Amino acid sequence: MSEAPSAPAAVVPPALPVPKAVAAEKPVRPKAEARLYGSRTLGQWIKRVVLLAVGAVAAAAILVLAARGVTTLPGVPGFLQRYPGAYQLPETAESGFPWWAQWAHFLNIFLIVLIIRSGYQVRAQQKPPAFWTPKGGGKKISINLWLHQSLDILWLANGLIFVVLLFASGHWMRIVPTSWEVFPNALSALLQYMTLDWPVETGWVNYNSLQQLMYFLVVFIAAPLAAITGVRMSEFWPKDAKTLNKAYPVEAARAIHFPTMLFFVLFILIHVFLVFSTGALRNLNHMFGGTDVVNWTGFWLFAAAIAITVAGWYAARPLLLAPIAKLSGQVSSR
């Protein structure tokens, strides 16, 4: 008999690797939120500033090319020759910058910078760091608003003294137009600035007509507008005068006050740029050194003025403001 076939050997599967013990997973820390500076992060602000700078340079290049093209049009060279950018002042006009103009200029720098800063704080504040209540009773206001209004009073006093001394001397003719030729000369000066073929600077004796109109606008229009609208929005305004409030609503004051502040900021930026780009040492000596020579005296006095202004910027904090505010009222945390 034949043998029965043997059963096939069972196939043993290869041993599976023993899984290693799974390490305990570490908790994932949530990413820290980016710090906001106002409504944006630092990176967003940098990107925004870079884009604005590139756009400004491109726009400036287009304006320069367009202005140079205008100067080639028929009649324009003759217009520039007839109106060089400035007209002759009356013989009684005083030249130079007296000591009171120098001091008024320094105080204006110091006060306007702090006014703009405190005004922005009032506009952007959500929870004021402290409050001030007048001694004689009245509405409680934030300490930032108290600072803003106090600086406004000092700024107005400085401006009034400057205007009085301006008309008491012959210096008023430096910034108040005395001839209708100021307008074509201002247009000529503007065209020269735009072509980068800038008008000759003779600020010690006579501003060009564009400068004269801008200084007139700042001193006699923008500053009074800021004062009138600021008073309307302040606690000094009578709240129960219904007829007066209806004739001059607070909404109208707000609509004018903030754009006026933006005008001052734009003017300061352009003014400082031109001071440094059209003969920095001589220009700084005019207003800070009281001389027409070219040396470093005015520059160092200007640097000291900026240092004092920066110190005032950082000193304008509730901790240091509270003792001063207590002289005229009560300071509280809420």
Side-chain angles (χ1 to χ4, degrees):
M1 290 180 63
S2 62
E3 296 181 358
S6 59
V11 179
V12 180
L16 297 175
V18 180
K20 295 181 180 180
V22 179
E25 294 183 358
K26 295 182 179 180
V28 179
R29 293 182 179 180
K31 293 183 179 180
E33 294 184 2
R35 182 179 178 182
L36 293 177
Y37 296 86
S39 59
R40 294 176 175 83
T41 64
L42 180 60
Q44 290 172 334
W45 277 116
I46 293 175
K47 181 185 290 187
R48 188 176 182 86
V49 170
V50 170
L51 290 175
L52 287 174
V54 172
V57 171
I62 294 172
L63 286 175
V64 170
L65 292 175
R68 288 183 177 272
V70 169
T71 59
T72 63
L73 297 177
V76 176
F79 172 82
L80 294 175
Q81 187 175 5
R82 181 179 178 184
Y83 299 104
Y87 63 94
Q88 188 68 34
L89 292 181
E91 294 182 358
T92 56
E94 295 283 344
S95 61
F97 298 87
W99 64 269
W100 51 265
Q102 298 171 46
W103 273 102
H105 188 260
F106 160 68
L107 291 173
N108 187 65
I109 293 173
F110 180 81
L111 293 171
I112 197 68
V113 168
L114 296 185
I115 285 171
I116 291 173
R117 177 180 184 264
S118 59
Y120 176 78
Q121 288 178 323
V122 170
R123 187 178 178 86
Q125 71 183 3
Q126 295 180 351
K127 184 179 179 181
F131 295 88
W132 175 84
T133 307
K135 281 184 177 180
K139 184 180 177 181
K140 180 187 296 185
I141 61 175
S142 72
I143 198 167
N144 291 331
L145 182 56
W146 168 84
L147 174 63
H148 187 69
Q149 293 181 354
S150 301
L151 292 169
D152 284 342
I153 294 172
L154 295 175
W155 183 65
L156 288 174
N158 179 59
L160 287 173
I161 293 172
F162 172 77
V163 170
V164 168
L165 294 175
L166 192 70
F167 282 98
S169 64
H171 286 275
W172 65 270
M173 287 177 271
R174 299 283 305 277
I175 65 172
V176 178
T178 58
S179 170
W180 290 109
E181 290 186 1
V182 67
F183 294 107
N185 275 293
L187 180 59
S188 173
L190 176 62
L191 190 56
Q192 292 175 61
Y193 279 122
M194 292 176 65
T195 60
L196 301 183
D197 186 15
W198 292 351
V200 177
E201 292 293 327
T202 58
W204 182 259
V205 178
N206 185 14
Y207 292 126
N208 69 55
S209 293
L210 183 60
Q211 290 174 317
Q212 187 182 51
L213 285 179
M214 290 306 300
Y215 294 145
F216 178 85
L217 178 63
V218 167
V219 175
F220 297 105
I221 297 180
L225 268 180
I228 293 170
T229 54
V231 170
R232 177 63 182 89
M233 297 162 58
S234 74
E235 299 306 313
F236 302 108
W237 187 266
K239 300 299 186 291
D240 299 329
K242 294 183 179 180
T243 303
L244 186 60
N245 291 337
K246 186 177 181 180
Y248 185 19
V250 69
E251 292 78 12
R254 290 197 183 101
I256 297 172
H257 194 74
F258 184 68
T260 303
M261 186 200 75
L262 296 180
F263 166 78
F264 276 112
V265 173
L266 180 62
F267 171 80
I268 291 169
L269 292 175
I270 296 175
H271 178 66
V272 172
F273 171 76
L274 291 177
V275 164
F276 278 88
S277 59
T278 59
L281 294 182
R282 170 162 281 160
N283 290 334
L284 292 174
N285 257 351
H286 287 176
M287 190 49 75
F288 291 93
T291 177
D292 193 34
V293 301
V294 179
N295 58 35
W296 287 86
T297 302
F299 173 83
W300 292 117
L301 291 173
F302 166 76
I306 295 301
I308 294 172
T309 303
V310 171
W313 178 288
Y314 284 100
R317 300 174 184 275
L319 183 64
L320 297 177
L321 293 176
I324 303 174
K326 286 180 180 178
L327 297 176
S328 58
Q330 180 182 357
V331 178
S332 59
S333 58
R334 61 180 180 176

